[in-house]
Amino acid sequence: MQTEKSLMARLFGVRMLPMWVAALLLAGCDNSSGQAKAERSAPPPPEVGVVEMQPQRVNLSMELPGRTAAYRISEVRPQVTGILQERLFEQGAQVKAGEVLYQIDPNRYRAAHQRAQAELERAQAELRQAQREWARTSDLFEKNAVSKRQRDEALSALEAARANVSRSQAMVETAGIDLAYTEVKAPIAGRIGPTLYTEGALVTANQPQVLARVVQLDPMYVDIQLPVEKLARIRSSLKEGAASKAGPNEAETVLLREDGTPYPHKGRVDVTDVTVNQSTSSVTVRAVFPNPDEDLLPGMYVRVRLSEGVRENAILAPQQGVSRNPQGEATALLVNPEGEVVARQLEAERAIGAFWLVEKGLEPGDRLIVSGLQKVRPGAKVKPVAADIPLHPTQNQQASGKDNSQKSASDDEGHAQ
């Protein structure tokens, strides 16, 4: 009986063994399948657009306000007294240097010139007589026929006659100048304004009231107000080697009209004042611009993009990849070689078009995240892809550059090459 029970227990255990093994194997298969399913359901690392930082050569410039001023202004005034007989120009027309503008009655001055000419002829005749008398007296003195006193008197008469001729020649020249002044001529070439006198008016020599004004509009001056701190910054940057002087073409200035459109002709800096305006703490920089079509008129408000130097190996970061924390500090997210997101604090206070000029915080080769920022945070794994954005500022972007370090001052700009 006992033998039968042990035999049954042994048989039952043998039969039950495959069931336990099957259960364990089934449980193992379920765990492997769940892990694989979990792995298949895990999302891939998010894609982010990155830009690899590359050093660039940047032509730094600043945008400053200015006023146009005429290159030359001449006030036309009479230099002799008389009645205006004729006006010989059209008001507002272009006149040439030396062109006759007004005709003053010349009759009196023509008569004075003729009288002076007659006086000169008489003085010349007296000189010839004195020369002949001196020749005879000298010959007789050699023969002891006349005294020394008579010879000296003949010499004095000759010298007086010569002086009289010189005086008469000066009178003729003076009368000729006065006669010439009856034709009031344009001292410079330019556009003449409205006249303040008409025919029949009496004008006097060197009168304070002008007859008209002639303004030379080509070229045109632009007076720029440069803050002292910006001038100091330019000099410091050049001295420390952070920037180098711009070349002849790079140093050309660009003029922007009131509506922001660029003026087609480039200008150049002509002179910089050495005195600081105490009321504005600025110095005046005078630039010269060609004005062949006379698009610029004196007194217009303009803005001028003034070159301040060239920055070699500058780092420009797209503005969409740089943000500001509550303290106003510039920050950015980058992708490190392991594909992880890292945060970086930057020094970037100057905008150049749609880019920030980064002084510190970025190095060549760094991958800056410019798109997909809302999907990542520092420490996360990401899949970087090259962003389809320009790596250099364009000419159209230059007009939007600002210097955040001096919001009250003028705009700063640059052009990367």
Side-chain angles (χ1 to χ4, degrees):
M1 187 73 176
Q2 185 175 2
T3 303
E4 292 177 357
K5 290 181 179 180
S6 60
L7 181 61
M8 292 176 66
R10 203 175 298 159
L11 181 61
F12 180 79
V14 172
R15 289 180 177 178
M16 293 298 293
L17 181 60
M19 297 176 65
W20 287 102
V21 172
L24 290 174
L25 292 174
L26 183 60
C29 290
D30 291 341
N31 290 338
S32 299
S33 176
Q35 184 177 359
K37 185 177 181 181
E39 290 179 356
R40 287 195 302 267
S41 63
E47 285 190 358
V48 293
V50 298
V51 172
E52 185 175 344
M53 295 293 95
Q54 298 176 358
Q56 306 180 40
R57 186 174 186 267
V58 179
N59 183 18
L60 301 177
S61 60
M62 64 183 71
E63 193 174 303
L64 299 168
R67 288 279 182 183
T68 58
Y71 191 75
R72 288 193 295 179
I73 299 178
S74 178
E75 296 182 341
V76 180
R77 286 187 173 89
Q79 299 189 57
V80 292
T81 300
I83 301 296
L84 284 181
Q85 284 187 333
E86 190 176 4
R87 174 171 61 87
L88 303 171
F89 66 92
E90 292 293 333
Q91 301 179 73
Q94 189 79 18
V95 298
K96 299 178 181 180
E99 182 178 339
V100 179
L101 304 177
Y102 298 92
Q103 178 63 61
I104 299 175
D105 184 7
N107 293 328
R108 188 180 67 176
Y109 298 98
R110 186 179 295 112
H113 182 262
Q114 293 174 352
R115 183 170 59 251
Q117 187 69 37
E119 291 291 336
L120 174 60
E121 293 174 357
R122 186 178 67 176
Q124 290 172 341
E126 292 177 352
L127 174 60
R128 290 191 292 270
Q129 177 61 29
Q131 289 173 338
R132 290 191 293 267
E133 187 65 27
W134 163 250
R136 286 193 298 268
T137 303
S138 298
D139 184 56
L140 293 174
F141 180 77
E142 293 294 332
K143 298 177 181 179
N144 294 324
V146 296
S147 64
K148 183 178 180 181
R149 179 178 180 180
Q150 290 175 315
R151 189 197 66 171
D152 293 341
E153 289 177 351
L155 179 60
S156 298
L158 176 62
E159 292 174 346
R162 288 173 177 169
N164 194 27
V165 168
S166 298
R167 182 176 66 86
S168 298
Q169 288 175 339
M171 292 177 62
V172 170
E173 185 175 354
T174 301
I177 292 174
D178 289 341
L179 179 60
Y181 280 159
T182 60
E183 292 183 342
V184 182
K185 300 179 180 180
I188 63 172
R191 192 166 295 278
I192 192 167
T195 181
L196 302 179
Y197 286 80
T198 58
E199 293 84 352
L202 175 64
V203 296
T204 58
N206 303 317
Q207 64 182 30
Q209 183 69 38
V210 301
L211 301 179
R213 287 185 176 87
V214 180
V215 181
Q216 182 177 343
L217 301 178
D218 183 24
M220 178 69 72
Y221 280 134
V222 176
D223 293 331
I224 310 163
Q225 299 303 317
L226 176 63
V228 176
E229 61 270 15
K230 286 187 176 289
L231 180 62
R233 187 181 71 184
I234 295 173
R235 290 177 175 175
S236 176
S237 180
L238 293 174
K239 183 178 180 181
E240 295 173 359
S244 59
K245 289 185 177 181
N249 295 331
E250 295 167 334
E252 291 179 336
T253 57
V254 178
L255 186 145
L256 304 175
R257 297 187 179 95
E258 291 184 356
D259 58 359
T261 58
Y263 183 65
H265 303 284
K266 300 291 183 66
R268 59 177 178 81
V269 174
D270 185 57
V271 65
T272 301
D273 198 358
V274 295
T275 304
V276 177
N277 188 320
Q278 296 181 2
S279 60
T280 61
S281 296
S282 62
V283 296
T284 300
V285 178
R286 172 162 279 187
V288 181
F289 286 85
N291 191 28
D293 300 325
E294 297 184 358
D295 293 333
L296 302 177
L297 298 176
M300 293 176 60
Y301 173 81
V302 295
R303 297 187 69 81
V304 178
R305 190 177 298 145
L306 187 64
S307 176
E308 59 177 281
V310 175
R311 178 76 62 88
E312 303 288 348
N313 300 321
I315 297 296
L316 296 180
Q319 291 186 0
Q320 58 264 45
V322 179
S323 59
R324 299 276 171 177
N325 59 22
Q327 291 75 33
E329 299 169 334
T331 60
L333 295 179
L334 289 82
V335 179
N336 63 13
E338 290 75 27
E340 296 179 349
V341 178
V342 294
R344 191 79 59 83
Q345 184 172 331
L346 313 178
E347 287 187 12
E349 301 296 336
R350 184 171 185 174
I352 299 178
F355 295 80
W356 288 109
L357 177 62
V358 180
E359 302 290 347
K360 294 182 181 178
L362 291 179
E363 299 294 335
D366 286 346
R367 293 182 293 178
L368 176 69
I369 301 177
V370 296
S371 63
L373 291 167
Q374 69 279 5
K375 300 182 294 185
V376 299
R377 62 182 60 187
K381 285 279 189 178
V382 294
K383 180 182 178 181
V385 296
D388 187 17
I389 63 172
L391 299 180
H392 305 279
T394 63
Q395 291 290 345
N396 294 333
Q397 291 175 331
Q398 291 182 29
S400 61
K402 300 283 184 180
D403 185 355
N404 288 349
S405 62
Q406 299 176 6
K407 290 183 173 60
S408 62
S410 302
D411 302 343
D412 287 337
E413 302 176 354
H415 175 55
Q417 299 177 345

